[in-house]
Amino acid sequence: MGKAHPLLHAGSLPVHALRAEFPILGQTINGHPLAYLDNAATTHMPRRVLQAMQQFEEHGRANIHRGVHTLSQSATDAFEAARATLKAFIGAGDGHELVFTSGTTEALNLVAQGLWAGGPGKAWLRPGDRIIVSGLEHHANLVPWQHAARMSGAELAILRPDAQGHLHLDDLQQLLTPATRVLALTACANATGERPPYEAMLALAVRAGALTVLDAAQAASHAVPDLSALECDFMAFSGHKMHGPMGIGALAGRRAALERLHPLRLGGDMVDWVSYEAAGFAQLPARLEGGTPHVAGAIGMAAAARFIDQTGREAIDAHVHALRAQAVAGLSGLDGITVLAPHATQSALVSFVAEGVHPHDIGTLLDERGIAVRTGHHCAQPLLEHLGLGPTTRASFALFNTPEEVDRLVAAVAHALEMLR
């Protein structure tokens, strides 16, 4: 395996052993070993997650909740066990509930639409109310609130970051009014890596009487928020951001807050009774889980949570933060490179721009060397425009990435700059 990289010090993650758990990492791309640095978009699944899902599909597949036969009952047990595992993973207590969704985007839409739907006298959002959304957000935590404001007659206010991409408590305090009904905020900006002081901001909003919504998609695989320690009404995250399957996610939060939501999906399994004229909704969480769920996905997502805990949360956090620091140092040393949010030491991603060079060209040349990164606006175009930027190149790290891969990234970017200038 060669001489150990100096950043792989004693006590760090057994990265090379962990890599053996991920079959996809063993391939070559364009004749080079794959260096997968696009984890902020989608992480890969270890064998134990794949095996958990395969076991269900081969031996336990059945629809849940309403069947009296053995497979249906065992599938129901597995689905509800997955829910319990994920609740424990995020620190959900007795006053919390977890609703399965297709991912973070559906979860955030469920909240935004659920707070204005339901008819006169029932909706949480009304004309004259205020919705505050941070200026760091992915489109999935902005566009639904734009729509909610239009449909409800509420005002949308943006908590804008400063020129370095920071959010400030004083600025939030100025935006909070007695009419504020919602604060929507990310745990980590997917375009820059900025980690806002979301704990204090959520608490400030709750004291002002607002419901709080946390987009935890970028924190699901490292720096996982502890719901029990947060003034947080709703938290959304996705399986595919935490070494689980695509097409599955969760909305977790206070049961009293979730009960305010009008269901987004109406139909099977979310009703208590139905007549030709009307219907009564089931209790949580079923009330918000209409239709046949992604049972294998829930099982895989729970297996991914166990994988993260067994690997060690603190070790994962330290590892990806060190890789990010290494990348920031290396990229900052290249002529004409500007790294966004270089101060964001608790992030697992680095986003940068190169003077006179388009990110898509950099990404293409990196791919020729087997290095997978993401280029573009990262579904955060308003933030990048606010910072005076266009598209960027983003590299993002996971527990299976190595310091050698970061060295390859920096060398490949330097080569790309030579080729393109």
Side-chain angles (χ1 to χ4, degrees):
M1 199 161 299
K3 185 178 179 181
H5 194 285
L7 290 184
L8 284 177
H9 52 78
S12 62
L13 285 180
V15 180
H16 295 295
L18 284 170
R19 287 177 67 84
E21 290 243 19
F22 294 85
I24 198 169
L25 300 180
Q27 64 185 300
T28 59
I29 302 292
N30 296 318
H32 298 272
L34 170 62
Y36 185 81
L37 306 180
D38 193 21
N39 295 284
T42 289
T43 52
H44 288 306
M45 294 191 289
R47 280 192 176 90
R48 67 187 74 180
V49 172
L50 296 167
Q51 290 167 353
M53 296 171 68
Q54 183 178 7
Q55 174 71 18
F56 169 77
E57 296 289 12
E58 290 184 349
H59 302 288
R61 180 181 172 91
N63 216 319
I64 61 171
H65 289 155
R66 296 183 302 279
V68 297
H69 61 82
T70 298
L71 282 184
S72 178
Q73 292 183 10
S74 64
T76 299
D77 290 344
F79 185 70
E80 295 303 332
R83 192 194 309 275
T85 295
L86 289 165
K87 287 180 70 174
F89 179 69
I90 59 169
D94 292 340
H96 296 100
E97 190 52 85
L98 184 139
V99 175
F100 282 111
T101 67
S102 66
T104 302
T105 297
E106 186 192 9
L108 294 170
N109 274 272
L110 175 57
V111 177
Q113 294 189 37
L115 289 177
W116 65 257
K122 296 183 179 179
W124 174 256
L125 291 171
R126 301 181 297 271
D129 288 343
R130 170 170 282 194
I131 302 166
I132 300 176
V133 178
S134 104
L136 300 179
E137 302 307 308
H138 187 284
H139 296 164
N141 203 25
L142 171 61
V143 178
W145 297 110
Q146 293 173 342
H147 184 63
R150 285 192 298 269
M151 297 302 294
S152 66
E155 171 201 15
L156 181 67
I158 304 300
L159 174 60
R160 298 181 186 275
D162 63 21
Q164 287 72 46
H166 292 298
L167 295 181
H168 297 281
L169 281 168
D170 289 346
D171 293 336
L172 175 59
Q173 183 67 71
Q174 292 180 18
L175 286 178
L176 290 168
T177 71
T180 304
R181 303 286 272 178
V182 173
L183 170 67
L185 179 66
T186 184
C188 178
N190 77 301
T192 65
E194 178 71 19
R195 190 237 192 248
Y198 63 81
E199 299 93 339
M201 288 186 162
L202 296 175
L204 194 63
V206 167
R207 288 197 293 272
L211 289 175
T212 54
V213 185
L214 185 67
D215 175 359
Q218 290 300 325
S221 66
H222 76 97
V224 182
D226 180 2
L227 203 55
S228 68
L230 293 175
E231 294 290 333
C232 184
D233 292 298
F234 305 100
M235 187 172 83
F237 58 110
S238 295
H240 74 104
K241 305 283 193 184
M242 52 178 283
H243 306 292
M246 296 178 176
I248 188 72
L251 173 65
R254 301 187 194 283
R255 190 171 289 109
L258 288 165
E259 286 174 346
R260 293 186 180 277
L261 301 181
H262 191 275
L264 184 63
R265 291 180 288 167
L266 307 177
D269 219 29
M270 55 77 62
V271 292
D272 183 34
W273 58 266
V274 182
S275 72
Y276 278 126
E277 293 75 30
F281 299 151
Q283 298 297 309
L284 289 171
R287 188 168 68 86
L288 300 176
E289 289 182 344
T292 298
H294 186 5
V295 180
I299 291 169
M301 191 174 175
R306 290 192 294 272
F307 171 73
I308 289 171
D309 278 339
Q310 290 162 4
T311 302
R313 297 191 193 191
E314 292 184 2
I316 294 170
D317 293 352
H319 179 70
V320 296
H321 297 166
L323 294 178
R324 203 263 183 178
Q326 180 190 352
V328 168
L331 292 167
S332 297
L334 300 179
D335 184 44
I337 291 287
T338 300
V339 173
L340 280 63
H343 53 269
T345 57
Q346 293 179 291
S347 174
L349 66 91
V350 58
S351 195
F352 62 94
V353 293
E355 184 179 356
V357 179
H358 198 282
H360 292 344
D361 295 329
I362 294 176
T364 299
L365 290 178
L366 264 56
D367 183 63
E368 289 183 359
R369 293 188 168 207
I371 302 170
V373 297
R374 181 72 42 167
T375 63
H377 289 96
H378 316 296
C379 294
Q381 188 170 358
L383 169 59
L384 294 178
E385 289 180 351
H386 174 74
L387 296 175
L389 301 170
T392 76
T393 303
R394 184 186 72 190
S396 47
F397 311 107
L399 55 87
F400 50 65
N401 290 123
T402 67
E404 291 88 351
E405 289 178 323
V406 177
D407 288 343
R408 284 177 60 193
L409 167 70
V410 175
V413 172
H415 172 75
L417 297 180
E418 293 177 5
M419 296 285 292
L420 296 168
R421 284 175 173 165

